[in-house]
Amino acid sequence: MPAYATRLLTGVFLSFFLFAFHTDVRAQALSESVRVLFIGAHPDDVDLKAGGTAALLAKEGHAVKFVSLTNGDAGHYNMGGGMLAKRRRAEAKEAARRLRIDEYEVLHYHDGELMPTLEVRRDVIRLIREWDADVVVGHRPNDYHPDHRYAGRVVQDAAYMVQVPNVLPKVEPTEGNPVFLYFQDRFQKPYPFEHDIVVAIDDVVGRKVSALDAHESQFYEWLPWVSDALEEVPEDDSARQDWLRERWTSPMSDAARDGLEKWYDDRQVEEAQYAESFQVAEYGHQPTDEEIQRLFPMLAD
């Protein structure tokens, strides 16, 4: 057979093999339900860090739960305590409805007082086990807010213990470790965030903004007050969401776009405007790229 014909047949075979492999990864991703647990310190933390990714997972039929370790009862300038906690639970419930996720649980710990105690660790172990989580996402333990730091720390502390039968023995342990991930943050010390998994969220950015809009006490009251921008908040509902999008969904950074290139083709990378990034924690199961594509099926498109 002439050399050029051999090369042609080899190229055709290789193309077919790569297509079949890609199709197999995608089929596997779609055929297996993935269970993801996002754990934040406050009601609205997870929505801001991962609302788009959660909406995409839910859209593909996967099980998604948000947890706030505190009840948010200190996050306001003219109300607090039980009344604020009740309001923020209702906001979280509405945000879950808008994102179309399965559940949004708000624990009882006071806002601004979270500590990495054994009691909180047991709650996190229970939550991971009861959700039978394949993936657990939380804060990095280096952050400006003590609740964020300790929320990250307590998830780290639970990471190994979730599979130990004699720890919290009344709740069945996990079979091995889930994959643990970190939300993106801007902090540089002791080391900057790494964009290991980057999810393009353009298709659902409107749904994410709608979820943020549900947290009225935060995005239209508390956070503008803290930043001396309360007078900038629009009165009209539609204008408010446009304002939210501009203020809280900034176009992706160069580092995020570089990370996007690993998971999307050139056209998708060029067209994407919004993304959410996650770093693989050194705790828990260390996933291969193929496992990440199974856990985040939108990356296998």
Side-chain angles (χ1 to χ4, degrees):
M1 180 181 294
Y4 75 89
T6 302
R7 290 196 298 271
L8 178 62
L9 286 174
T10 301
V12 170
F13 175 78
L14 181 60
S15 297
F16 177 79
F17 174 79
L18 291 173
F19 174 79
F21 175 78
H22 175 87
T23 302
D24 181 66
V25 170
R26 178 63 178 160
Q28 183 183 23
L30 289 174
S31 66
E32 299 179 18
S33 179
V34 180
R35 303 186 63 82
V36 185
L37 182 65
F38 295 90
I39 301 176
H42 309 103
D44 81 324
D45 282 345
V46 178
D47 315 54
L48 186 58
K49 296 289 189 179
T53 301
L56 286 171
L57 287 167
K59 188 177 180 181
E60 297 217 20
H62 301 293
V64 179
K65 178 174 180 175
F66 284 6
V67 172
S68 172
L69 295 182
T70 77
N71 60 16
D73 59 357
H76 209 274
Y77 57 92
N78 66 4
M79 66 184 302
M83 182 180 297
L84 180 58
K86 182 178 180 180
R87 183 182 180 189
R88 297 195 68 180
R89 280 194 171 91
E91 291 172 343
K93 183 177 180 180
E94 174 61 17
R97 186 190 70 79
R98 296 183 186 188
L99 290 171
R100 302 176 189 174
I101 64 172
D102 296 88
E103 191 173 344
Y104 203 138
E105 184 173 351
V106 179
L107 301 193
H108 65 278
Y109 298 102
H110 291 299
D111 188 354
E113 299 181 8
L114 187 68
M115 295 293 290
T117 63
L118 183 57
E119 179 187 8
V120 181
R121 187 199 305 172
R122 285 172 174 162
D123 276 336
V124 171
I125 292 170
R126 173 184 57 79
L127 287 162
I128 294 170
R129 289 178 175 179
E130 289 179 347
W131 193 245
D132 192 21
D134 298 301
V135 182
V136 180
V137 190
H139 298 281
R140 289 204 303 165
N142 48 310
D143 195 292
Y144 79 101
H145 199 303
D147 287 348
H148 294 180
R149 292 199 297 271
Y150 295 140
R153 168 71 181 277
V154 78
V155 172
Q156 286 184 341
D157 291 347
Y160 176 75
M161 297 301 177
V162 294
Q163 62 187 339
V164 180
N166 285 321
V167 173
L168 211 64
K170 292 184 179 180
V171 185
E172 187 174 349
T174 61
E175 295 183 8
N177 260 157
V179 173
F180 286 83
L181 305 176
Y182 296 127
F183 299 123
Q184 182 180 350
D185 60 55
R186 67 180 187 273
F187 303 102
Q188 302 297 304
K189 298 178 181 179
Y191 59 89
F193 176 86
E194 298 173 3
H195 296 262
D196 294 327
I197 301 171
V198 185
V199 179
I201 64 165
D202 295 72
D203 290 347
V204 292
V205 69
R207 194 176 298 178
K208 174 177 179 174
V209 171
S210 179
L212 301 183
D213 172 74
H215 295 276
E216 293 184 358
S217 69
Q218 302 305 292
F219 291 100
Y220 299 134
E221 298 170 22
W222 171 238
L223 294 173
W225 183 84
V226 168
S227 59
D228 197 27
L230 199 55
E231 294 182 358
E232 297 177 13
V233 179
E235 294 291 334
D236 178 73
D237 288 343
S238 177
R240 280 186 164 197
Q241 292 208 28
D242 290 340
W243 181 80
L244 269 185
R245 182 191 290 251
E246 181 178 351
R247 192 176 180 88
W248 291 102
T249 58
S250 301
M252 75 180 78
S253 66
D254 291 340
R257 194 171 295 278
D258 289 343
L260 204 68
E261 292 177 352
K262 179 174 182 177
W263 306 106
Y264 295 84
D265 63 35
D266 292 343
R267 179 187 59 80
Q268 291 171 314
V269 172
E270 183 178 352
E271 293 178 354
Q273 297 183 53
Y274 302 99
E276 292 169 345
S277 295
F278 307 93
Q279 178 179 324
V280 177
E282 57 271 73
Y283 305 89
H285 178 66
Q286 300 299 291
T288 64
D289 288 351
E290 288 75 17
E291 287 174 315
I292 289 172
Q293 287 181 306
R294 181 184 71 80
L295 297 170
F296 292 85
M298 66 286 286
L299 303 181
D301 283 336

